[in-house]
Amino acid sequence: TRLFVTLEVKGLEHLKDLNEPIIFMPNHTSYLDPLVVAMALPLHKRIKLSFAAAYDVLYEYFWYVSSAAELLFNAFALQRGDRGGIQLGLDHIGRMLDNGYSVVFFPEGKMSETGNLLPFRPGAALVAAHMNVAIIPIFIQGAQHILPYAKVLPRCCGTVSINFGKPLKFTRLDKQNDILHALQQAMKN
């Protein structure tokens, strides 16, 4: 990936004093996003990192790389949309956190075709409110130009900017809409 991506990383100071585990919530514009998030994190944060992946994308559309994603990125399935079964994915997130693994969770629930931030899915609020760990919003910019939506091979070389936001913490008493609004505002900022 470093052959065609130059990283500009900002906001790492927000991770300094945080204890693991952490939930990282980046925007999603390219299949490069998991790679660049992992590359941007310091090694001590990257060692115990896991990725929540949409079941239909990883295990149906890209079934031929699902084993490699599990092995190399500690990826696990998360159902989305009207397919149901989100409870299993939420349980898996909880187990990963209980075992000290930080989790990368894409709150938009799917990749943006335009690069614009999509509305966050209700599951993002559930994860933020019930997992009792710090949430770090991440804004990724530029990956969609290198590896555009629905493409699997890079189209060019370029710079990807990754900005780690300030940690957020929510409780079960926080309202779903308030959590989603706070997460989206943090990512926009």
Side-chain angles (χ1 to χ4, degrees):
T1 305
R2 291 193 191 279
L3 295 173
F4 51 89
V5 173
T6 302
L7 282 181
E8 284 182 358
V9 182
K10 299 175 186 169
L12 283 177
E13 68 274 8
H14 299 304
L15 306 179
K16 257 187 178 175
D17 298 324
L18 285 180
N19 295 324
E20 280 81 14
I22 302 165
I23 295 177
F24 296 99
M25 288 194 179
N27 62 316
H28 199 11
T29 62
S30 170
Y31 291 125
L32 277 180
D33 295 338
L35 290 169
V36 296
V37 168
M39 289 169 50
L41 286 169
L43 182 61
H44 69 279
K45 300 276 187 209
R46 194 180 334 148
I47 288 173
K48 290 193 91 174
L49 188 64
S50 185
F51 289 84
Y55 179 87
D56 57 312
V57 174
L58 186 60
Y59 295 97
E60 292 175 7
Y61 189 66
F62 290 115
W63 59 268
Y64 49 91
V65 296
S66 60
S67 295
E70 290 173 353
L71 180 65
L72 299 173
F73 293 99
N74 203 16
F76 61 90
L78 183 66
Q79 287 285 14
R80 62 182 179 163
D82 57 356
R83 292 176 162 245
I86 191 169
Q87 185 62 44
L88 183 61
L90 294 175
D91 290 346
H92 201 96
I93 291 172
R95 279 195 305 277
M96 296 305 284
L97 295 171
D98 288 345
N99 288 321
Y101 283 83
S102 294
V103 175
V104 178
F105 177 89
F106 294 96
E108 295 164 288
K110 65 180 183 176
M111 193 182 307
S112 172
E113 294 180 37
T114 64
N116 296 327
L117 196 60
L118 299 174
F120 287 10
R121 305 290 300 163
L126 282 171
V127 168
H130 292 271
M131 297 303 169
N132 197 31
V133 297
I135 309 291
I136 297 289
I138 303 172
F139 191 76
I140 303 169
Q141 192 168 20
Q144 72 274 21
H145 302 299
I146 299 169
L147 187 62
Y149 178 81
K151 303 294 181 196
V152 293
L153 295 174
R155 298 297 181 234
C156 63
C157 298
T159 300
V160 175
S161 174
I162 299 179
N163 194 347
F164 292 92
K166 294 178 182 176
L168 303 171
K169 191 100 182 231
F170 301 98
T171 70
R172 293 174 188 219
L173 299 176
D174 293 318
K175 294 180 181 167
Q176 177 177 314
N177 288 340
D178 294 341
I179 293 171
L180 293 176
H181 178 74
L183 288 170
Q184 282 203 287
Q185 278 306 118
M187 196 171 290
K188 286 178 184 177
N189 293 339

